[in-house]
Amino acid sequence: MVKMISIHSSRGGTGKSLISSNIATIYASQGRNVALLDFDFRAPSLLTIFQARPLVKGWVNDYLDGQARLENVMVDLTGRLKTPGRLLVGFANPNMEAMREIARKDRRWQMRALRRVIAMKQELAAKFGVEIIIIDTSPGIQYSSVNAVVAADVAVVISTMDILDQEGVQRIVSELYEPFEKQTVIIVNKAIPHEFVSEERKESLLSRVKGKFTQPLIAIIPCYCDLLLASRISLFVLDRPDHPFSRALKEIARRLESL
Ligand SMILES: Nc1ncnc2c1ncn2[C@@H]1O[C@H](COP(=O)(O)OP(=O)(O)O)[C@@H](O)[C@H]1O
Ligand SMILES: [Mg+2]
């Protein structure tokens, strides 16, 4: 059965796009058929991460609006990334007017869009043989993110060590995730590297951070400056499979699959 995983946060810049694109690539490199969807209509990133502009024939925006078919939206990057499993990516339109237009959509449109997200999930599984769907969302409680979270089987929320992110996560968890009884896990990203120098300090960090959230914390990822040197042509986990960031993401991918 297909599993849909939403990747969300309360504020921007926590690492949603980096983590979603690399986790999708990990699954595809393990031979799974994966779809990755950009639902961050206000700040689309996947088009840049995958450098895919010339390959796009339709946008996720158009699909949600009932104006494009899924086969014209999903871009197959399997050949380019040379993964044994399929990696299909649906991109959000980065054009200014498209961003404004989706921001203007009312509640009725968004309710229809939710039905389309659910239809999309079925169609990705039935027509494209997709086993895992990852959705990179907009921070906060944008309708599009709420739709992604509602349709998801597993919801991941990413925080940093910043108290504003942590409080924001706790707020969206209690106002959105808990009422929907969503299976939710937390990842803390960009933790200070010197907290990882010994097992003792790691343990102390873990116990301090765990107490901040009501949902299970599945990983704390340090901040790695060398991620800034990551190529935009390939994906970090493919370029640097043995880097501790890649290893942390592989462990997260394994945990998410087992939920
Ligand atoms: N663990 C990390 N260490 C260093 N840089 C990171 C880490 N996680 C994310 N980043 C960087 O932080 C920036 C924001 O990440 P991004 O994935 O675009 O966030 P979001 O999608 O949540 O807005 C990017 O430049 C990304 O490469
Ligand atoms: Mg992003």
Side-chain angles (χ1 to χ4, degrees), residues 16-17 40 43 45 136-137:
K16 291 181 297 302
S17 300
D40 191 351
S45 309
D136 178 19
T137 70

Side-chain angles (χ1 to χ4, degrees), residues 106-224:
D106 62 9
R107 194 184 153 87
R108 274 189 53 195
W109 186 92
Q110 292 293 352
M111 292 301 288
R112 279 201 301 275
L114 174 59
R115 284 199 291 275
R116 293 197 142 262
V117 178
I118 293 163
M120 195 178 204
K121 181 177 173 182
Q122 314 301 348
E123 207 179 331
L124 282 169
K127 276 202 201 156
F128 299 83
V130 165
E131 299 156 278
I132 302 172
I133 303 169
I134 312 269
I135 310 191
D136 178 19
T137 70
S138 226
I141 49 161
Q142 302 295 312
Y143 271 123
S144 57
S145 303
V146 174
N147 283 346
V149 172
V150 170
D153 303 291
V154 174
V156 177
V157 196
I158 304 183
S159 177
T160 65
M161 293 299 288
D162 187 329
I163 186 157
L164 287 175
D165 280 329
Q166 295 181 350
E167 286 184 4
V169 165
Q170 208 33 58
R171 212 164 28 245
I172 54 173
V173 164
S174 60
E175 287 172 19
L176 170 63
Y177 292 74
E178 285 171 353
F180 280 106
E181 297 181 0
K182 215 27 84 181
Q183 177 160 31
T184 307
V185 293
I186 314 282
I187 294 173
V188 169
N189 187 25
K190 301 188 178 179
I192 305 160
H194 74 240
E195 305 263 30
F196 292 79
V197 292
S198 69
E199 282 306 315
E200 209 179 344
R201 291 193 68 164
K202 256 198 273 182
E203 279 306 313
S204 134
L205 173 70
L206 192 64
S207 61
R208 261 182 293 131
V209 177
K210 256 186 186 163
K212 312 260 186 209
F213 307 104
T214 54
Q215 302 292 329
L217 173 71
I218 61 159
I220 304 183
I221 309 173
C223 196
Y224 296 107

